[in-house]
Amino acid sequence: MSHSHGPPVGHAGGAHRWRLALALVLIGGFFVVELVAGLLTGSLALLSDAGHMAADVVTLAAALAATVIAVRPDRSGRRTFGHYRIEVFASLLAVLIMLGVAAAVVIAGIGRLGREVHIDTGPMLVVGVLGLIVNLAVLVMLHGGAGESLNVKGAYLEVMADTVGSIGVIVAAVLLRVTGATWIDTAVALAVGAFIAVRAVLLAREVLGVLGQAAPAGIDPELVRRDLAAIVGVSDVHDLHLWTLTSGMEVATVHLVVEAAVDPHPVLDAAQEMLSTTHGIAHATVQTEPTDHHGCLEIGW
């Protein structure tokens, strides 16, 4: 039996901690500006964007905290995988916050239908443009880590949704100035709410896939099985399990039945090398068994 960590790897979120920290400062500062402007102008689109920016602040803070907690050593001896999963739970929090903001925006928008309200479009337009600039700057920072860390991706999608909200605020402000129709502000707010909900559902699918121990995205279990079976000296492959511990950390366990008179050591080396280089699985536990071993058949699950 062999246990391999493969080449040295770090959890993906920790490498992008500085991105999250700077993004939190920028988004947190502008949230105050947008909230005050929304209350003064009476714009639901601006208030919905401020509400989503508040969600950004909570999500970014949770994501940043997760990157710190994830690398702390476990002193209890009970968490055999450490704290790495905390980043996935931070992503789940981002999903819940996005859904909550979307629901709040839709409810507020429906409540305002048919009502005439005064909206000051001048400050609304200025704040919308400034918000767009801030969000775009944060998106550029987070983009480098969104493809590597589910935690950073959750924050990235939060800010992306807020960027759409800023665009909606600008569009609503311009149309209001031209037409004077206040229902446009409500319509834009509802559209932003729907967009946020869709992005939340897409992220939720990824998070639940990780928590449900599904095979990592981009890794075909059947292809891994075939590659293992093709190793010289292997007569059977069973109990193959593949899952993601956290972003950038894929894990595998497998049992290989080795033909009689075959040295299992080269088989182990070949299996670990193949899993690491071909499928990107650096953390693998490989158990070799002789052809006359039947202990696995006695397991009831």
Side-chain angles (χ1 to χ4, degrees):
M1 185 183 299
S2 174
H3 168 79
S4 171
H5 286 277
V9 294
H11 80 91
H16 303 287
R17 188 176 299 138
W18 68 271
R19 301 177 189 271
L20 292 170
L22 187 54
L24 178 60
V25 171
L26 291 174
I27 294 295
F30 194 77
F31 157 69
V32 177
V33 174
E34 190 164 41
L35 177 61
V36 172
L39 293 173
L40 293 177
T41 62
S43 167
L44 181 59
L46 198 56
L47 284 174
S48 69
D49 196 41
H52 190 246
M53 192 163 274
D56 289 348
V57 173
V58 176
T59 301
L60 286 166
L64 181 60
T67 64
V68 176
I69 296 172
V71 297
R72 288 183 178 176
D74 173 46
R75 295 182 174 84
S76 69
R78 301 288 298 172
R79 298 181 179 88
T80 58
F81 279 106
H83 297 92
Y84 290 117
R85 270 286 167 88
I86 194 70
E87 290 192 286
V88 181
F89 285 108
S91 299
L92 181 60
L93 176 62
V95 169
L96 297 177
I97 290 175
M98 290 171 74
L99 289 175
V101 170
V105 169
V106 170
I107 291 172
I110 293 175
R112 190 180 270 195
L113 291 175
R115 292 168 50 195
E116 284 296 327
V117 292
H118 172 71
I119 300 174
D120 191 347
T121 58
M124 177 183 172
L125 181 59
V126 172
V127 173
V129 171
L130 292 176
L132 179 60
I133 293 172
V134 170
N135 283 317
L136 288 175
V138 173
L139 276 180
V140 171
M141 282 190 297
L142 295 180
H143 183 267
E148 300 177 10
S149 168
L150 191 60
N151 186 31
V152 178
K153 183 174 183 178
Y156 178 80
L157 290 179
E158 263 283 286
V159 178
M160 178 185 289
D162 200 45
T163 302
V164 174
S166 295
I167 295 174
V169 168
I170 295 171
V171 171
V174 171
L175 292 178
L176 274 169
R177 289 180 72 88
V178 173
T179 67
T182 56
W183 64 265
I184 294 175
D185 181 71
T186 303
V188 169
L190 290 174
V192 170
F195 176 80
I196 294 171
V198 171
R199 301 304 302 179
V201 170
L202 293 177
L203 179 60
R205 290 180 59 183
E206 292 189 54
V207 172
L208 294 178
V210 173
L211 295 178
Q213 304 288 72
I219 298 180
D220 182 354
E222 186 55 36
L223 180 58
V224 174
R225 185 184 301 275
R226 288 202 302 265
D227 287 345
L228 288 168
I231 296 174
V232 176
V234 174
S235 64
D236 184 51
V237 178
H238 61 269
D239 288 337
L240 172 63
H241 302 288
L242 306 167
W243 70 97
T244 298
L245 180 59
T246 190
S247 301
M249 298 180 74
E250 277 65 54
V251 185
T253 62
V254 65
H255 294 193
L256 302 179
V257 178
V258 180
E259 297 172 356
V262 172
D263 183 1
H265 196 167
V267 173
L268 290 174
D269 290 343
Q272 292 166 2
E273 177 69 17
M274 183 275 295
L275 289 171
S276 179
T277 59
T278 303
H279 298 286
I281 303 172
H283 188 119
T285 301
V286 182
Q287 175 174 312
T288 60
E289 303 167 352
T291 54
D292 59 353
H293 175 74
H294 304 293
C296 294
L297 299 177
E298 300 173 1
I299 300 175
W301 60 278

